[in-house]
Amino acid sequence: MAAAKTAQEKRLKGIAAAPGVAQGPAFVFLQNSLDVPCYQVAEEKFPEETRRFEQALLETRRQISQLREAVAGRLGEGEAAIFDAHLLVLDDPALIDETLQTMRSTGYNIEHAFQVVAEKYIAFFSKLDDEYFKERVGDIRDVSIRILHNMLGLSRRTLADVTERCVIVAEDMAPSDTAYLEVGRVSAILTDGGNRTSHAVIMARSLRVPAVVGLRDATTQIHREDWVLVDGYAGLVIINPETDTLERYRQLERMHGDFERKVMAEVGTENVTADGMPFKLSANVNGVEDGEAMAKYHAAGVGLFRTEAVFLRQQQQVPDEETQFVAYRDLIAAVAPERVIVRTLDIGGDKQHSALQVEQNAEENPFMGFRAIRYCLENKAWFRLQLRAILRASVFGRIKVMFPMISSLDELLQAKAFWEEIRTELRAEGVPFDEKIPLGAMIEIPSAAISAELLAEHCDFFSIGTNDLVQYMLAVDRGNERIAHLYNPCNPAVLQVLRHVITAARRKKIEIGVCGELAGDPSFAPLLYALGAGSLSMSPAVIPEVRYLLRRCKKADLDELIAKVYAETDTQTISAILREFADKRLV
Ligand code: PEP
Ligand code: MG
């Protein structure tokens, strides 16, 4: 299976983010850099090169004008003015003439000539100590990258280019990148950045492939022709492994396979603990395409439908009401009679969208910035389309709706008031929808967690988003590999808050679930269940393992686990207690 290896074995150590052992050829995916070819062209080809340049300029103009129009309609002429500056760059005769001149004098291809000229201008303007010219640097850079992409016939490099089963090596992965990944084409995922809750990892778990993140320089250490062995248990990456390394790992691969078969054998059995207490394991999904995995692993409905996935599939425009309606309806109908918890748009942070992103680009702190419900409440035209589409789709099954990133009661009430406005609007139009949709809040910001009792008065349910809650509680950016060791949910402060929210919800008699990655983590699932989180929602593929584990738990053991964990103050000790509890039952 392994390719012949001539290069020397090399090891990289990162963060073990998704378990398993896998190997394959590397697919190095560099989003931020563009390989501009450089070659000589014969003089008689100059007209052809010039034509390609002109076409790229026209296409770039069309794209920028389209963006300008979208932004002007949504945010007004003031905000759209940036694109006028971009269009001015396109009109700049110096840039155009000089590019053609460079091609003629050097004989190099037009992309290379253009890159040389653009870089000369960027270097020149960068040196000037003037705000106006500094802004021009950004404009020239943006426009020239767009022109180069168009000349090279690349809309944007995507993972759709992955055609054979391989190990994906990337700087980092945005949800819009992972949307292209297909089961069967990916052996493992490696990233320079990120930590255990980054989207690359969520994706790896749902594909059931190992992932190692926070490798820092994997994209420079690993090359296209390298054979890569990935140990997702130890967070180890072995480039061009020697024969005896491969032999040792074959044994680990076999053990992993045995474990898989064991947990899969219990799919279809009842979701009850060893002493008969029921538990509910639902799925985190991006759309109807996850239906197959849900059925395979017997998910009890959808605990988190990340609706932004519908937006991220298409970067250049915002899906209209009809497109959204179809996407929501298809999933809701497929999952019926089980319920789908639809989360309203959670855009921003690391979920960027070209047609929606304008302000986010400028943010210094996107995770704490203009995202999710904050974005929606200020962009009611988009939000309206989404709520209409969700309500219209509600008659095709059973849904609940929740708002992400709620940080205060005021925000929750604003979201609910807008929801009410849209319901009134649909009633007036005679459009049918489910009148009894429960409304909930995601609890993922410390202020919301602390005021859980207050929010519970106005919610039908809560869903705890531990991915964000942990990052905000500990002030540890969930995507920053340098501080990934500090992203530790075993921190007693996090455990106190989790217990506080679950207890508050139960006291106020509203439903409570967890949909962050901790819900599907064997170390945490028993504790969350023991604390009273009735439903745990996770990537469908991890459901069998959590089911296997909870089926081996008893109330008395779970009570003891809570007592032990909450008596401890040391993060490492807590982590060891939780791991031991899981390991004992996963044998
Ligand atoms: C979370 O924050 O835990 C969550 C489920 O939301 P996301 O990962 O989409 O931010
Ligand atoms: Mg979140």
Side-chain angles (χ1 to χ4, degrees), residues 221-496:
Q221 298 279 349
I222 303 174
H223 304 108
R224 193 180 287 185
E225 67 276 17
D226 286 335
W227 190 265
V228 184
L229 177 68
V230 180
D231 177 351
Y233 298 106
L236 193 64
V237 176
I238 305 172
I239 310 165
N240 301 315
E242 307 287 352
T243 322
D244 49 344
T245 309
L246 282 170
E247 193 42 55
R248 257 180 287 125
Y249 269 94
R250 228 158 259 145
Q251 210 181 335
L252 197 58
E253 264 180 292
R254 265 196 299 276
M255 276 165 61
H256 182 62
D258 290 347
F259 178 70
E260 290 275 311
R261 277 186 287 282
K262 198 171 63 178
V263 299
M264 281 306 290
E266 289 200 4
V267 168
T269 56
E270 226 186 331
N271 285 344
V272 288
T273 58
D275 49 359
M277 297 186 299
F279 55 83
K280 187 172 172 190
L281 305 180
S282 51
N284 292 352
V285 305
N286 287 334
V288 71
E289 66 275 17
D290 295 313
E292 203 180 307
M294 282 183 64
K296 181 169 170 199
Y297 304 119
H298 284 222
V302 170
L304 169 62
F305 174 16
R306 289 186 161 101
T307 57
E308 55 278 7
V310 176
F311 288 63
L312 294 170
R313 265 174 225 139
Q314 213 184 5
Q315 284 285 323
Q316 296 312 325
Q317 68 194 62
V318 181
D320 59 17
E321 184 182 321
E322 210 49 35
T323 310
Q324 291 188 50
F325 163 70
V326 170
Y328 306 157
R329 179 202 60 196
D330 287 354
L331 176 71
I332 293 164
V335 173
E338 296 280 4
R339 215 192 272 267
V340 175
I341 301 184
V342 182
R343 176 175 75 182
T344 61
L345 185 63
D346 184 4
I347 208 79
D350 60 344
K351 298 167 192 168
Q352 297 290 333
H353 188 275
S354 301
L356 290 173
Q357 78 178 7
V358 188
E359 301 92 332
Q360 294 158 9
N361 257 350
E363 286 190 307
E364 284 195 4
N365 217 334
F367 267 124
M368 292 213 274
F370 194 41
R371 56 174 291 207
I373 197 66
R374 302 167 180 183
Y375 180 90
C376 289
L377 289 175
E378 279 194 36
N379 288 276
K380 292 224 173 107
W382 295 137
F383 198 24
R384 179 171 169 272
L385 294 188
Q386 177 171 53
L387 297 188
R388 284 179 62 92
I390 294 172
L391 278 159
R392 284 174 53 203
S394 67
V395 294
F396 292 88
R398 295 171 64 222
I399 69 167
K400 291 186 191 179
V401 169
M402 64 181 176
F403 303 112
M405 299 284 295
I406 291 291
S407 66
S408 67
L409 178 59
D410 179 54
E411 219 164 27
L412 174 66
L413 295 180
Q414 279 186 56
K416 286 182 71 176
F418 193 58
W419 170 258
E420 208 39 60
E421 207 176 304
I422 306 300
R423 288 186 353 136
T424 309
E425 183 178 295
L426 287 179
R427 266 187 224 114
E429 289 172 25
V431 177
F433 61 87
D434 178 0
E435 289 276 357
K436 295 204 170 72
I437 300 171
L439 283 187
M442 282 205 61
I443 303 295
E444 51 186 345
I445 295 186
S447 56
I450 290 164
S451 53
E453 288 219 11
L454 188 63
L455 296 179
E457 297 276 349
H458 303 269
C459 286
D460 298 310
F461 70 98
F462 282 161
S463 184
I464 307 179
T466 54
N467 303 342
D468 279 316
L469 184 60
V470 173
Q471 81 161 339
Y472 296 131
M473 279 208 60
L474 302 178
V476 176
D477 179 342
R478 71 194 247 194
N480 185 341
E481 75 282 1
R482 292 194 71 86
I483 47 171
H485 59 286
L486 297 173
Y487 186 98
N488 194 336
C490 294
N491 184 309
V494 174
L495 296 177
Q496 292 296 338

Side-chain angles (χ1 to χ4, degrees), residues 192-213:
D192 290 345
N195 76 8
R196 285 192 188 92
T197 64
S198 48
H199 286 276
V201 177
I202 295 175
M203 190 66 195
R205 292 223 180 97
S206 64
L207 294 172
R208 279 192 94 72
V209 297
V212 179
V213 299

Side-chain angles (χ1 to χ4, degrees), residues 546-559:
V546 175
R547 176 183 289 121
Y548 185 93
L549 173 58
L550 290 182
R551 279 172 54 79
R552 279 154 184 79
C553 293
K554 284 189 181 152
K555 174 132 186 19
D557 305 338
L558 291 169
D559 287 345

